[in-house]
Amino acid sequence: MSAAVRVVGLAKHYGKGEALVRAVDDVDLEVASGEAVVVTGPSGCGKSTLLQLMGGLDLPTAGEVWLGGRRIDRDSERARARLRRDQVGFVFQDFHLLDELTAVENVELPALLAGTPSRQARRRALALLERVGLDDRVRHLPARLSGGQKQRVAVARALVNNPAVVLADEPTGNLDSAATTEVLRLFESLRADGQTLVVVSHDQRTAATADRMVSMRDGALIEDVVLGPSTAGTVDVLSASERA
Amino acid sequence: MSRVRLGVRLAGRDLRRRATETVLLFVALALAATTLTIGLVLHGQTAAPYAETRSRTRGPDVVAVLFPAPNQTVTAADRASLAAVAARPGVSDRSRAFPTTWTSITAGGITGVAELQGRDAGNSPVDRPQLVSGHWLTHGDGVVVERAFALAMDLSVGDRVELAGHAVPVVGIAVSAALPPYPQLCTIGCILDQPGWFSAEPGLVWASRQRVAGMATPQQPLVWFQYLRLRDAGSARAFAGRLTDSGPPAGRPELTAWQDVAARQAEQLASERTAVVFASTLLVVLALATLVVLVGGRMDDEVRRVGMLKAAGATPGFVTRLLLASYLAVGLVASLVGLVAGRLLAPRLISLSAGLLGRVGATSLSVGQAVTVVASVLVIVVMAAVVPAWRAARTSTVRALASSGRAPHRGGLLVAVSARLPAPALLGVRLAARRPRRATLTSLSVAVAVCGGIVVLYAQSSLHAERGDVGGPADPLVAQLHTVMTALTLLLALMAAVNLVFVTRASAVDARRSLAVARALGVSPAEAATALAIAQLLPAVVGLVVGGACGTVLYRALSSHSVSPSLTQLAGLAVATLVLSAALSAVPARIEARRPVADPLRQP
């Protein structure tokens, strides 16, 4: 399998001297196309920064970032923006839906920004909302959706341009248990469909949706575990055992 | 006392914390205060100059003019009628009769018509023109020129003028209240029986009696002026009316009351005063619009701080006073700076009707005027800040602490329409739609500036048309009006520019997270900056259209003689407005779009 995302010797430092913070420190990681990787670790260990560097939202202090076989850490902001539009889908912990847009308008937005004709963008957005189980909420504003529903809208938005990789930053961090299960089920189905996924999470249940689990501490990778073939219904099993 | 000290410290730190907004607030208020000051200084001066000139020159209450019958001259017997008028009951003092004629005048390549009045070397009991430079007529050959006419002819003491081909030195420049200054002199009566003089506007020149008598021709015979003072100056109109009512003046003098001369001069100054009052009003509207945006934007940000203060034990009353205090402090300092700036600028902008004495340069702002300016600015501040401050202070502490700012408005139709547009326009339209009040204020601000600009264009076109076909020396009042209107338009444009920069910045800060999301979804910084600029340009276009219509309607309502500006001028104003709006929006938009995209996405 070819690498969808690859980082080599990646570092991101803030501050100077004694105040120097090594948010990401000499990280090597490769995510194959179609692979689902979960990045775990304690709060402040650099997981989110790593994800932002992989998606070209931020530039590293040192090291290389490769996306779809192309090195992006030396690209201009404009070039990285184009790459994000075409190849990356982001899912955020705080959803970051635009409050004034309905669910379907939020989902179709990246497609419209990419120049997709409006009818085609709307059709694609409606299909994705149906896929995430929100076909009865398409005209709802974010304020009228539950946390789980908002995150499912955000996932649909991340998928609308058929990205090569979906990068999710603590997608269940702001959700209750039931909503977490909804969203993890969705990730599990994405993985089953061969979508490349990198999910940052400190929720152990997220591992059930992944092929690999990478652990971080103090900005460095400390463990990289292949989880083996997953079994359908893992999320449900974990959720049931948690409830018990 | 300790609570006062705490309040002062908190207000001071809040202002420092948001230095850019504080500076913009300060500039907006200082500009408003400057214009108000100029307006008040001008009003004070235009209200009194004729009265002051009349008093200082022993101006006449009635002007008697004796014209000859057609193709004849005024004889000594005819002049007895002047003496008869001067002998009527109620007359307390009179001048000698002054011979007057009209002749061509040339100096420095400018040619005009002079109304040449023969005067004595000594002081006249009535009408003693006040010299502003040089000296009065002595036994020499010189002439004294009325100040407005001297300005128009670009004359100063020592220059030589040609009167009907005779070179004569200018020995003095003076003002008088007896006759209206150039170019209104002929409203009292002229004989301009020369080819090319039909539409000329003569200016007053005082010369010796001998010179004037020598200049008279059969076409320009001598006319005799006599100035009278009455025991009761208020009865001048009735005095003049009694003679006029008894039939046409065949061999009798025409009488004009001082009130009619004063009215003519007030008419001249009215346009200048109207321009300043109009511009001051527009500037106050702009200042208020700026403040509403500014205070609204700041209050959104203040709500969480209010929650923290209330959680720490501050009462709603303390919070309201605290929020108001910071704005009032800026308002107070800005109004003082505006007062000084206005006081310094006023004499440069306003020289009054050049033919009056006025008090420009010597006038200082009265205490009452200064208090009016400071109070006006503080009232504007309170009007803009009191409601949001009160509302913020009364928000529940829990809600205030959890506040994530004002929810954006959903412009459903604009969202649907914008879906068909390219990325920057799509985002720009949606950004404009999510804050309709702010967009309306941007439109208002541009509309007010354009309205002012259109009025100036109309005024200039009308002035040009009125004076353009007359030839001869330029009207100094017209030049002065041009200066005043241009300066006030610049102030208006400056205020609108400050407003636009502030609104763009407020919009950029407000849209920071939305734009960060858009950039995470693949929008480039340039597209984000363009979107922000478009969000300001759309309301600016609306403002341009509304302002254009408002200016046209307003000028036509205010002025009886309106000449439309050329299409090129109107198109130039429109293009300049749009280009300036785009350029001013682009600066804060580009600064905002250059920020790292990851930061706003990390914040809760």
Side-chain angles (χ1 to χ4, degrees), chain B residues 91-144:
Chain B
V91 176
S92 63
D93 211 347
R94 61 178 178 160
S95 68
R96 289 182 67 194
F98 302 130
T100 304
T101 188
W102 289 264
T103 185
S104 67
I105 180 169
T106 305
I110 305 173
T111 298
V113 176
E115 179 171 306
L116 212 56
Q117 189 172 78
R119 298 293 289 253
D120 306 303
N123 273 338
S124 167
V126 183
D127 184 38
R128 296 173 182 170
Q130 171 99 27
L131 287 158
V132 290
S133 61
H135 59 80
W136 187 241
L137 303 168
T138 52
H139 26 6
D141 275 345
V143 292
V144 175

Short mmCIF file of all heavy atoms in Angstrom, two decimals, chain B residues 91-144:
data_model
loop_
_atom_site.label_atom_id
_atom_site.label_comp_id
_atom_site.label_asym_id
_atom_site.label_seq_id
_atom_site.Cartn_x
_atom_site.Cartn_y
_atom_site.Cartn_z
N VAL B 91 -33.48 112.44 10.47
CA VAL B 91 -32.08 112.29 10.05
C VAL B 91 -31.20 112.96 11.09
O VAL B 91 -31.39 114.12 11.42
CB VAL B 91 -31.85 112.91 8.65
CG1 VAL B 91 -30.36 112.83 8.28
CG2 VAL B 91 -32.70 112.22 7.61
N SER B 92 -30.24 112.23 11.62
CA SER B 92 -29.39 112.79 12.66
C SER B 92 -28.03 113.22 12.12
O SER B 92 -27.37 114.08 12.66
CB SER B 92 -29.18 111.78 13.78
OG SER B 92 -28.49 110.65 13.27
N ASP B 93 -27.60 112.61 11.04
CA ASP B 93 -26.28 112.93 10.49
C ASP B 93 -26.25 112.54 9.02
O ASP B 93 -27.04 111.68 8.58
CB ASP B 93 -25.20 112.16 11.27
CG ASP B 93 -23.89 112.95 11.30
OD1 ASP B 93 -23.77 113.93 10.55
OD2 ASP B 93 -23.00 112.56 12.10
N ARG B 94 -25.38 113.13 8.26
CA ARG B 94 -25.31 112.81 6.83
C ARG B 94 -23.89 113.02 6.32
O ARG B 94 -23.12 113.84 6.86
CB ARG B 94 -26.28 113.68 6.04
CG ARG B 94 -25.93 115.14 6.20
CD ARG B 94 -26.82 116.03 5.39
NE ARG B 94 -26.48 117.43 5.61
CZ ARG B 94 -26.80 118.40 4.81
NH1 ARG B 94 -27.50 118.18 3.73
NH2 ARG B 94 -26.46 119.64 5.06
N SER B 95 -23.58 112.30 5.25
CA SER B 95 -22.29 112.50 4.59
C SER B 95 -22.48 113.57 3.52
O SER B 95 -23.61 113.97 3.23
CB SER B 95 -21.82 111.21 3.93
OG SER B 95 -22.66 110.90 2.84
N ARG B 96 -21.37 113.97 2.90
CA ARG B 96 -21.51 114.79 1.70
C ARG B 96 -22.01 113.88 0.59
O ARG B 96 -21.94 112.66 0.70
CB ARG B 96 -20.14 115.37 1.30
CG ARG B 96 -19.63 116.46 2.24
CD ARG B 96 -18.31 117.02 1.73
NE ARG B 96 -18.46 117.75 0.48
CZ ARG B 96 -17.43 118.11 -0.30
NH1 ARG B 96 -16.20 117.79 0.04
NH2 ARG B 96 -17.64 118.79 -1.41
N ALA B 97 -22.48 114.45 -0.51
CA ALA B 97 -22.86 113.62 -1.66
C ALA B 97 -21.58 113.23 -2.40
O ALA B 97 -20.72 114.08 -2.64
CB ALA B 97 -23.78 114.41 -2.58
N PHE B 98 -21.46 111.95 -2.70
CA PHE B 98 -20.22 111.46 -3.33
C PHE B 98 -20.47 111.16 -4.81
O PHE B 98 -21.33 110.35 -5.15
CB PHE B 98 -19.76 110.16 -2.64
CG PHE B 98 -19.49 110.32 -1.17
CD1 PHE B 98 -20.04 109.43 -0.25
CD2 PHE B 98 -18.68 111.35 -0.69
CE1 PHE B 98 -19.80 109.56 1.10
CE2 PHE B 98 -18.43 111.48 0.68
CZ PHE B 98 -18.99 110.59 1.57
N PRO B 99 -19.68 111.82 -5.71
CA PRO B 99 -19.85 111.51 -7.14
C PRO B 99 -19.32 110.11 -7.44
O PRO B 99 -18.30 109.70 -6.88
CB PRO B 99 -18.97 112.58 -7.82
CG PRO B 99 -17.94 112.93 -6.78
CD PRO B 99 -18.60 112.76 -5.45
N THR B 100 -20.02 109.42 -8.28
CA THR B 100 -19.66 108.03 -8.57
C THR B 100 -19.81 107.74 -10.05
O THR B 100 -20.79 108.20 -10.67
CB THR B 100 -20.58 107.07 -7.75
OG1 THR B 100 -20.46 107.42 -6.37
CG2 THR B 100 -20.20 105.61 -7.94
N THR B 101 -18.85 106.98 -10.59
CA THR B 101 -18.98 106.55 -11.99
C THR B 101 -18.37 105.15 -12.14
O THR B 101 -17.85 104.59 -11.16
CB THR B 101 -18.31 107.56 -12.94
OG1 THR B 101 -18.62 107.19 -14.29
CG2 THR B 101 -16.79 107.57 -12.78
N TRP B 102 -18.45 104.60 -13.33
CA TRP B 102 -17.95 103.25 -13.56
C TRP B 102 -16.91 103.26 -14.68
O TRP B 102 -17.09 103.98 -15.68
CB TRP B 102 -19.11 102.31 -13.94
CG TRP B 102 -20.00 102.05 -12.74
CD1 TRP B 102 -19.95 101.00 -11.91
CD2 TRP B 102 -21.04 102.89 -12.26
NE1 TRP B 102 -20.89 101.12 -10.92
CE2 TRP B 102 -21.58 102.28 -11.09
CE3 TRP B 102 -21.57 104.14 -12.63
CZ2 TRP B 102 -22.61 102.83 -10.34
CZ3 TRP B 102 -22.61 104.69 -11.89
CH2 TRP B 102 -23.11 104.04 -10.76
N THR B 103 -15.87 102.52 -14.48
CA THR B 103 -14.80 102.52 -15.47
C THR B 103 -14.10 101.16 -15.48
O THR B 103 -14.26 100.38 -14.54
CB THR B 103 -13.78 103.65 -15.15
OG1 THR B 103 -12.82 103.71 -16.19
CG2 THR B 103 -13.05 103.40 -13.85
N SER B 104 -13.35 100.91 -16.54
CA SER B 104 -12.64 99.62 -16.59
C SER B 104 -11.41 99.68 -15.68
O SER B 104 -10.81 100.75 -15.49
CB SER B 104 -12.20 99.30 -18.02
OG SER B 104 -11.23 100.21 -18.43
N ILE B 105 -11.07 98.53 -15.12
CA ILE B 105 -9.89 98.46 -14.24
C ILE B 105 -9.09 97.23 -14.64
O ILE B 105 -9.66 96.16 -14.89
CB ILE B 105 -10.31 98.41 -12.75
CG1 ILE B 105 -9.07 98.32 -11.83
CG2 ILE B 105 -11.26 97.26 -12.45
CD1 ILE B 105 -9.40 98.53 -10.34
N THR B 106 -7.77 97.41 -14.73
CA THR B 106 -6.90 96.28 -15.12
C THR B 106 -5.71 96.25 -14.18
O THR B 106 -5.13 97.28 -13.85
CB THR B 106 -6.40 96.47 -16.57
OG1 THR B 106 -7.53 96.63 -17.42
CG2 THR B 106 -5.59 95.24 -17.03
N ALA B 107 -5.38 95.03 -13.74
CA ALA B 107 -4.17 94.86 -12.92
C ALA B 107 -3.72 93.43 -13.03
O ALA B 107 -4.53 92.51 -12.91
CB ALA B 107 -4.45 95.20 -11.46
N GLY B 108 -2.43 93.25 -13.28
CA GLY B 108 -1.86 91.89 -13.33
C GLY B 108 -2.57 90.99 -14.32
O GLY B 108 -2.76 89.80 -14.05
N GLY B 109 -3.03 91.54 -15.43
CA GLY B 109 -3.68 90.71 -16.45
C GLY B 109 -5.15 90.46 -16.19
O GLY B 109 -5.83 89.83 -17.00
N ILE B 110 -5.66 90.93 -15.04
CA ILE B 110 -7.09 90.74 -14.75
C ILE B 110 -7.80 92.06 -15.07
O ILE B 110 -7.37 93.13 -14.64
CB ILE B 110 -7.33 90.38 -13.27
CG1 ILE B 110 -6.51 89.15 -12.88
CG2 ILE B 110 -8.81 90.16 -12.99
CD1 ILE B 110 -6.55 88.83 -11.39
N THR B 111 -8.90 91.94 -15.81
CA THR B 111 -9.65 93.15 -16.15
C THR B 111 -11.05 93.05 -15.59
O THR B 111 -11.68 91.98 -15.65
CB THR B 111 -9.73 93.32 -17.69
OG1 THR B 111 -8.39 93.46 -18.17
CG2 THR B 111 -10.53 94.56 -18.08
N GLY B 112 -11.53 94.12 -15.01
CA GLY B 112 -12.87 94.14 -14.47
C GLY B 112 -13.46 95.52 -14.60
O GLY B 112 -12.97 96.35 -15.37
N VAL B 113 -14.54 95.76 -13.84
CA VAL B 113 -15.19 97.07 -13.86
C VAL B 113 -15.15 97.62 -12.43
O VAL B 113 -15.46 96.90 -11.49
CB VAL B 113 -16.65 96.96 -14.35
CG1 VAL B 113 -17.35 98.31 -14.28
CG2 VAL B 113 -16.69 96.42 -15.76
N ALA B 114 -14.75 98.88 -12.32
CA ALA B 114 -14.68 99.50 -11.00
C ALA B 114 -15.80 100.51 -10.85
O ALA B 114 -16.12 101.25 -11.80
CB ALA B 114 -13.34 100.18 -10.80
N GLU B 115 -16.43 100.51 -9.67
CA GLU B 115 -17.36 101.58 -9.33
C GLU B 115 -16.53 102.59 -8.56
O GLU B 115 -16.09 102.31 -7.43
CB GLU B 115 -18.51 101.06 -8.47
CG GLU B 115 -19.48 102.14 -8.07
CD GLU B 115 -20.75 101.59 -7.40
OE1 GLU B 115 -21.40 100.71 -8.01
OE2 GLU B 115 -21.06 102.00 -6.27
N LEU B 116 -16.28 103.69 -9.19
CA LEU B 116 -15.32 104.66 -8.66
C LEU B 116 -16.08 105.73 -7.87
O LEU B 116 -16.91 106.46 -8.44
CB LEU B 116 -14.59 105.30 -9.85
CG LEU B 116 -13.15 105.74 -9.67
CD1 LEU B 116 -12.27 104.60 -9.18
CD2 LEU B 116 -12.62 106.27 -11.01
N GLN B 117 -15.83 105.82 -6.58
CA GLN B 117 -16.57 106.77 -5.74
C GLN B 117 -15.63 107.88 -5.28
O GLN B 117 -14.55 107.60 -4.72
CB GLN B 117 -17.17 106.05 -4.53
CG GLN B 117 -18.12 106.95 -3.75
CD GLN B 117 -18.87 106.19 -2.66
OE1 GLN B 117 -18.30 105.93 -1.61
NE2 GLN B 117 -20.12 105.84 -2.93
N GLY B 118 -16.01 109.12 -5.52
CA GLY B 118 -15.17 110.25 -5.15
C GLY B 118 -15.30 110.59 -3.68
O GLY B 118 -16.41 110.81 -3.20
N ARG B 119 -14.18 110.57 -2.99
CA ARG B 119 -14.24 110.83 -1.54
C ARG B 119 -13.26 111.93 -1.16
O ARG B 119 -12.32 112.25 -1.91
CB ARG B 119 -13.90 109.55 -0.77
CG ARG B 119 -14.85 108.39 -1.00
CD ARG B 119 -16.22 108.67 -0.44
NE ARG B 119 -16.23 108.64 1.01
CZ ARG B 119 -16.78 107.65 1.73
NH1 ARG B 119 -17.36 106.62 1.12
NH2 ARG B 119 -16.74 107.70 3.03
N ASP B 120 -13.46 112.48 0.03
CA ASP B 120 -12.56 113.51 0.55
C ASP B 120 -11.43 112.86 1.33
O ASP B 120 -11.56 111.71 1.77
CB ASP B 120 -13.34 114.45 1.47
CG ASP B 120 -14.57 115.02 0.77
OD1 ASP B 120 -14.38 115.64 -0.30
OD2 ASP B 120 -15.69 114.79 1.26
N ALA B 121 -10.36 113.66 1.51
CA ALA B 121 -9.22 113.12 2.26
C ALA B 121 -9.57 112.93 3.74
O ALA B 121 -9.11 111.99 4.39
CB ALA B 121 -8.01 114.05 2.13
N GLY B 122 -10.41 113.78 4.26
CA GLY B 122 -10.74 113.70 5.69
C GLY B 122 -11.82 112.67 5.97
O GLY B 122 -12.39 112.07 5.06
N ASN B 123 -12.12 112.49 7.26
CA ASN B 123 -13.16 111.54 7.67
C ASN B 123 -14.55 112.05 7.32
O ASN B 123 -14.85 113.22 7.54
CB ASN B 123 -13.10 111.33 9.19
CG ASN B 123 -12.12 110.25 9.55
OD1 ASN B 123 -11.80 109.40 8.71
ND2 ASN B 123 -11.62 110.27 10.77
N SER B 124 -15.38 111.17 6.81
CA SER B 124 -16.77 111.51 6.55
C SER B 124 -17.54 111.28 7.86
O SER B 124 -17.22 110.37 8.61
CB SER B 124 -17.31 110.60 5.45
OG SER B 124 -18.71 110.71 5.40
N PRO B 125 -18.57 112.12 8.14
CA PRO B 125 -19.35 111.90 9.36
C PRO B 125 -20.07 110.54 9.32
O PRO B 125 -20.31 109.93 10.36
CB PRO B 125 -20.38 113.04 9.35
CG PRO B 125 -19.95 113.98 8.30
CD PRO B 125 -19.03 113.27 7.36
N VAL B 126 -20.43 110.11 8.10
CA VAL B 126 -21.10 108.80 7.95
C VAL B 126 -20.29 107.99 6.93
O VAL B 126 -19.86 108.54 5.92
CB VAL B 126 -22.56 108.97 7.45
CG1 VAL B 126 -23.25 107.62 7.39
CG2 VAL B 126 -23.32 109.94 8.33
N ASP B 127 -20.10 106.72 7.21
CA ASP B 127 -19.29 105.79 6.40
C ASP B 127 -17.82 106.19 6.39
O ASP B 127 -17.38 107.01 5.57
CB ASP B 127 -19.80 105.67 4.96
CG ASP B 127 -18.99 104.61 4.20
OD1 ASP B 127 -18.64 103.58 4.83
OD2 ASP B 127 -18.70 104.83 3.01
N ARG B 128 -17.10 105.60 7.33
CA ARG B 128 -15.64 105.78 7.37
C ARG B 128 -15.01 104.42 7.12
O ARG B 128 -14.81 103.64 8.06
CB ARG B 128 -15.19 106.29 8.74
CG ARG B 128 -15.73 107.65 9.06
CD ARG B 128 -15.41 108.03 10.48
NE ARG B 128 -15.96 109.32 10.82
CZ ARG B 128 -16.00 109.81 12.05
NH1 ARG B 128 -15.51 109.10 13.06
NH2 ARG B 128 -16.52 110.99 12.28
N PRO B 129 -14.75 104.08 5.85
CA PRO B 129 -14.20 102.76 5.54
C PRO B 129 -13.01 102.41 6.45
O PRO B 129 -12.14 103.26 6.67
CB PRO B 129 -13.78 102.87 4.08
CG PRO B 129 -14.71 103.89 3.53
CD PRO B 129 -14.92 104.89 4.63
N GLN B 130 -13.03 101.20 6.96
CA GLN B 130 -11.97 100.75 7.88
C GLN B 130 -10.84 100.17 7.05
O GLN B 130 -11.03 99.22 6.28
CB GLN B 130 -12.53 99.70 8.82
CG GLN B 130 -11.51 99.00 9.67
CD GLN B 130 -11.45 99.58 11.08
OE1 GLN B 130 -12.43 100.13 11.59
NE2 GLN B 130 -10.29 99.46 11.69
N LEU B 131 -9.65 100.72 7.23
CA LEU B 131 -8.50 100.24 6.46
C LEU B 131 -8.01 98.91 7.03
O LEU B 131 -7.90 98.76 8.25
CB LEU B 131 -7.37 101.27 6.52
CG LEU B 131 -7.62 102.53 5.67
CD1 LEU B 131 -6.78 103.68 6.17
CD2 LEU B 131 -7.33 102.24 4.20
N VAL B 132 -7.76 97.95 6.17
CA VAL B 132 -7.11 96.72 6.62
C VAL B 132 -5.63 96.74 6.26
O VAL B 132 -4.84 95.97 6.81
CB VAL B 132 -7.80 95.45 6.05
CG1 VAL B 132 -9.16 95.26 6.66
CG2 VAL B 132 -7.90 95.50 4.54
N SER B 133 -5.26 97.62 5.30
CA SER B 133 -3.83 97.87 5.05
C SER B 133 -3.69 99.19 4.30
O SER B 133 -4.65 99.67 3.68
CB SER B 133 -3.20 96.71 4.25
OG SER B 133 -3.83 96.59 3.01
N GLY B 134 -2.51 99.78 4.39
CA GLY B 134 -2.26 101.04 3.70
C GLY B 134 -2.88 102.23 4.42
O GLY B 134 -3.13 102.16 5.62
N HIS B 135 -3.16 103.28 3.65
CA HIS B 135 -3.75 104.47 4.26
C HIS B 135 -4.89 104.99 3.39
O HIS B 135 -5.08 104.56 2.25
CB HIS B 135 -2.66 105.56 4.45
CG HIS B 135 -2.00 105.97 3.17
ND1 HIS B 135 -2.56 106.87 2.30
CD2 HIS B 135 -0.80 105.60 2.61
CE1 HIS B 135 -1.75 107.05 1.26
NE2 HIS B 135 -0.68 106.27 1.43
N TRP B 136 -5.64 105.95 3.97
CA TRP B 136 -6.79 106.51 3.26
C TRP B 136 -6.28 107.53 2.22
O TRP B 136 -5.08 107.83 2.19
CB TRP B 136 -7.74 107.15 4.29
CG TRP B 136 -9.04 107.63 3.69
CD1 TRP B 136 -9.50 108.92 3.68
CD2 TRP B 136 -10.02 106.86 3.01
NE1 TRP B 136 -10.70 109.00 3.07
CE2 TRP B 136 -11.07 107.74 2.62
CE3 TRP B 136 -10.14 105.52 2.66
CZ2 TRP B 136 -12.21 107.33 1.92
CZ3 TRP B 136 -11.27 105.10 1.98
CH2 TRP B 136 -12.29 106.00 1.61
N LEU B 137 -7.20 108.01 1.42
CA LEU B 137 -6.84 108.95 0.35
C LEU B 137 -6.23 110.22 0.97
O LEU B 137 -6.77 110.75 1.93
CB LEU B 137 -8.10 109.35 -0.43
CG LEU B 137 -8.88 108.19 -1.05
CD1 LEU B 137 -10.24 108.69 -1.53
CD2 LEU B 137 -8.10 107.63 -2.22
N THR B 138 -5.12 110.63 0.42
CA THR B 138 -4.58 111.92 0.83
C THR B 138 -4.70 112.83 -0.39
O THR B 138 -5.54 112.58 -1.25
CB THR B 138 -3.11 111.78 1.27
OG1 THR B 138 -2.41 111.09 0.26
CG2 THR B 138 -3.01 111.03 2.58
N HIS B 139 -3.86 113.81 -0.51
CA HIS B 139 -3.97 114.66 -1.71
C HIS B 139 -3.29 114.03 -2.91
O HIS B 139 -3.26 114.61 -3.97
CB HIS B 139 -3.41 116.06 -1.44
CG HIS B 139 -2.37 116.09 -0.36
ND1 HIS B 139 -1.89 115.02 0.23
CD2 HIS B 139 -1.75 117.08 0.28
CE1 HIS B 139 -1.00 115.31 1.17
NE2 HIS B 139 -0.89 116.60 1.22
N GLY B 140 -2.74 112.88 -2.78
CA GLY B 140 -2.05 112.25 -3.91
C GLY B 140 -3.02 111.66 -4.91
O GLY B 140 -4.21 111.93 -4.88
N ASP B 141 -2.46 110.80 -5.76
CA ASP B 141 -3.23 110.25 -6.88
C ASP B 141 -3.81 108.87 -6.62
O ASP B 141 -4.45 108.31 -7.48
CB ASP B 141 -2.31 110.11 -8.10
CG ASP B 141 -2.24 111.43 -8.85
OD1 ASP B 141 -3.11 112.27 -8.57
OD2 ASP B 141 -1.33 111.58 -9.66
N GLY B 142 -3.53 108.35 -5.48
CA GLY B 142 -3.85 106.92 -5.26
C GLY B 142 -5.33 106.62 -5.12
O GLY B 142 -6.17 107.50 -5.08
N VAL B 143 -5.61 105.31 -5.07
CA VAL B 143 -6.99 104.85 -4.83
C VAL B 143 -6.97 103.84 -3.67
O VAL B 143 -5.95 103.22 -3.40
CB VAL B 143 -7.59 104.16 -6.08
CG1 VAL B 143 -7.80 105.15 -7.19
CG2 VAL B 143 -6.75 102.99 -6.54
N VAL B 144 -8.14 103.72 -3.03
CA VAL B 144 -8.32 102.69 -2.00
C VAL B 144 -9.33 101.69 -2.54
O VAL B 144 -10.36 102.09 -3.11
CB VAL B 144 -8.82 103.33 -0.68
CG1 VAL B 144 -9.13 102.25 0.35
CG2 VAL B 144 -7.78 104.31 -0.13
#
